[in-house]
Amino acid sequence: MRFATGLVLIDAPASALNMLGIDESLPDRNVTRVKTLRRGGRRYPYVAPQAWRYWWRFTLKEYFKWNLSPLFREQKQVFTAANPLRYPDDDVFGYMRAFKKGGINVTVTRVSPLKNTPLISVLPDRSSLTVDEGYASRHEGDPVPYSQEFYSTVFKGAFSLDLEAVGRFTLVSKAGFKNLLTWDDVLRDKKGNPKKGTEEIVKEIKEMERLAEELGVQKSEKEWIMPSEVRKRRATETVLALRLLTGGAKQTQYHTDVTPKFVLLLNVDAGINPFISDIVFEESGEVKLDAEALALRLNDLRDIIPEGAKLYIGYDRGFIRSLGWDVEEIKSAVENIGVSVSTGSVKSSIEEFVKEIEAYYG
């Protein structure tokens, strides 16, 4: 069991990356709000987790030429092809196709090996949010007033990629673990032949078996495993895509670079993320990092940090300077508890971290 975990910080100096839409509760209905959540007595802007995942998928398609799974609509559901052999995003991001077709249950689901939090503003709304009052005047007649929220903040997000689950598909009859249809799902007549109406299921199963044969999938009664090279490529490209992350709303008016400006990366042998805590926090309107808190947390988790694994700290020099952080201080605090640390640019740190992932697959 090995998980590639990380924390990312995205600088959003004047941005509106994920909008809630028009606030219908207001009389003039012309205020477009950003998404916020409440914690304690404060509200914090955030980017929804599905928006981050959409950016991530799009980046994999654009820069790593991933052939993304197409979308289908049946009844009131929208779902992907649910074909993790052909489509790497079905493998890494998971899927749920849950309905009956012609009275036959064609439900398959897959727990996503890639998990991520929302991107949540480190600064509360009172320290980050403002409203732009504008007028639409490119028409005849009186200008039309409108208002739009935007923020200046740093977003914090965390992710965990289950390396063992990438390219490994279970056939267990349990929600999230019945990844593929099998011949047991096909209804048969008295002669043992597939019943009329099962043609599409039969076609899907045959197609999956043909792909498995072509790709060299190792099959057993309860699971199918893709070749190590395929699993390695999908896992490493997923992490490498972070440094090229592309997306976000309102880019025409609030152009924002959403690539991480600071990352913490670490492989762990457990399904937890050591960075989900207030290591990065707000104090008097400033974004702080508690190096001692990070060191103490990693010290508590020493038994699940693999031998030879390093904490990778990747940073943009200008970003760090603007926050007044000292990376050497962070490094020193962590090394004092016996965990090796590698520092460098975001690009070099991600690329070095990926080498540990490659080594895991052999």
Side-chain angles (χ1 to χ4, degrees):
M1 179 183 292
R2 179 70 53 86
F3 292 78
T5 65
L7 173 142
V8 303
L9 297 182
I10 292 174
D11 188 23
S15 314
L17 296 168
N18 196 201
M19 307 300 287
L20 182 63
I22 298 291
D23 190 342
E24 299 286 347
S25 67
L26 298 176
D28 51 8
R29 297 184 180 181
N30 68 352
V31 180
T32 305
R33 295 201 182 282
V34 300
K35 292 185 176 181
T36 60
L37 58 83
R38 184 180 294 282
R39 184 181 184 188
R42 296 179 174 181
R43 299 196 70 85
Y44 295 83
Y46 74 93
V47 173
Q50 62 269 24
W52 186 10
R53 293 172 77 83
Y54 179 81
W55 301 354
W56 213 323
R57 263 193 166 100
F58 179 80
T59 304
L60 285 161
K61 172 179 176 289
E62 288 297 304
Y63 295 99
F64 296 89
K65 308 305 177 189
W66 277 28
N67 182 20
L68 298 187
S69 184
L71 292 176
F72 300 92
R73 181 165 187 163
E74 189 77 26
Q75 298 166 7
K76 293 183 180 179
Q77 293 185 36
V78 175
F79 48 86
T80 68
N83 185 338
L85 275 67
R86 180 179 297 280
Y87 302 107
D89 60 323
D90 272 349
D91 178 4
V92 172
F93 290 82
Y95 48 81
M96 181 174 72
R97 186 187 69 185
F99 67 96
K100 290 185 177 181
K101 196 167 189 176
I104 302 169
N105 190 351
V106 295
T107 298
V108 285
T109 57
R110 174 167 171 77
V111 175
S112 171
L114 177 65
K115 298 169 179 61
N116 60 277
T117 67
L119 296 168
I120 301 175
S121 169
V122 178
L123 302 174
D125 62 347
R126 71 184 184 193
S127 300
S128 61
L129 200 61
T130 190
V131 179
D132 176 52
E133 307 285 354
Y135 291 89
S137 57
R138 295 178 62 187
H139 61 281
E140 293 185 3
D142 296 332
V144 178
Y146 67 91
S147 301
Q148 182 173 284
E149 290 183 338
F150 69 102
Y151 38 66
S152 177
T153 190
V154 172
F155 283 103
K156 175 175 65 175
F159 71 91
S160 175
L161 177 63
D162 184 345
L163 302 183
E164 194 55 40
V166 174
R168 190 167 196 152
F169 314 119
T170 52
L171 309 177
V172 180
S173 185
K174 178 182 173 184
F177 295 90
K178 185 173 174 51
N179 300 159
L180 307 169
L181 290 178
T182 69
W183 288 110
D184 292 339
D185 299 303
V186 180
L187 300 177
R188 297 181 181 277
D189 59 22
K190 293 179 180 177
K191 296 181 179 179
N193 297 317
K195 279 188 173 181
K196 187 177 180 181
T198 62
E199 291 83 359
E200 287 192 34
I201 297 178
V202 169
K203 182 180 178 183
E204 179 176 327
I205 294 172
K206 286 184 175 178
E207 167 68 3
M208 209 69 76
E209 290 189 333
R210 186 190 65 76
L211 277 173
E213 183 70 24
E214 182 179 306
L215 295 169
V217 172
Q218 177 187 336
K219 296 194 290 185
S220 66
E221 183 182 354
K222 296 294 183 183
E223 65 179 9
W224 290 12
I225 304 176
M226 298 193 81
S228 290
E229 284 304 313
V230 177
R231 300 173 70 199
K232 181 193 302 185
R233 183 172 66 252
R234 290 181 176 186
T236 56
E237 289 181 349
T238 299
V239 176
L240 285 169
L242 271 176
R243 79 172 190 85
L244 298 169
L245 204 61
T246 304
K250 300 290 182 184
Q251 287 283 5
T252 53
Q253 294 170 297
Y254 301 97
H255 186 37
T256 303
D257 175 13
V258 298
T259 60
K261 297 297 184 296
F262 181 86
V263 295
L264 295 176
L265 303 164
L266 179 69
N267 279 309
V268 294
D269 285 336
I272 60 173
N273 189 313
F275 307 119
I276 298 179
S277 72
D278 284 339
I279 295 168
V280 178
F281 60 100
E282 180 261 348
E283 185 177 271
S284 302
E286 296 185 354
V287 179
K288 303 282 190 179
L289 187 148
D290 189 335
E292 291 298 326
L294 172 62
L296 289 171
R297 182 152 178 76
L298 294 183
N299 192 46
D300 282 349
L301 300 173
R302 285 288 301 276
D303 53 335
I304 60 165
I305 298 175
E307 186 177 350
K310 293 180 181 177
L311 171 69
Y312 294 88
I313 303 176
Y315 62 96
D316 177 273
R317 188 181 297 273
F319 177 70
I320 293 298
R321 184 177 61 243
S322 71
L323 299 179
W325 290 3
D326 184 345
V327 173
E328 289 303 313
E329 180 184 331
I330 304 170
K331 179 181 178 183
S332 176
V334 175
E335 287 184 333
N336 283 342
I337 57 104
V339 175
S340 299
V341 178
S342 173
T343 62
S345 68
V346 172
K347 176 178 181 292
S348 65
S349 295
I350 290 176
E351 288 175 347
E352 287 299 313
F353 178 60
V354 160
K355 290 178 182 175
E356 285 193 20
I357 296 174
E358 290 175 335
Y360 175 71
Y361 290 107

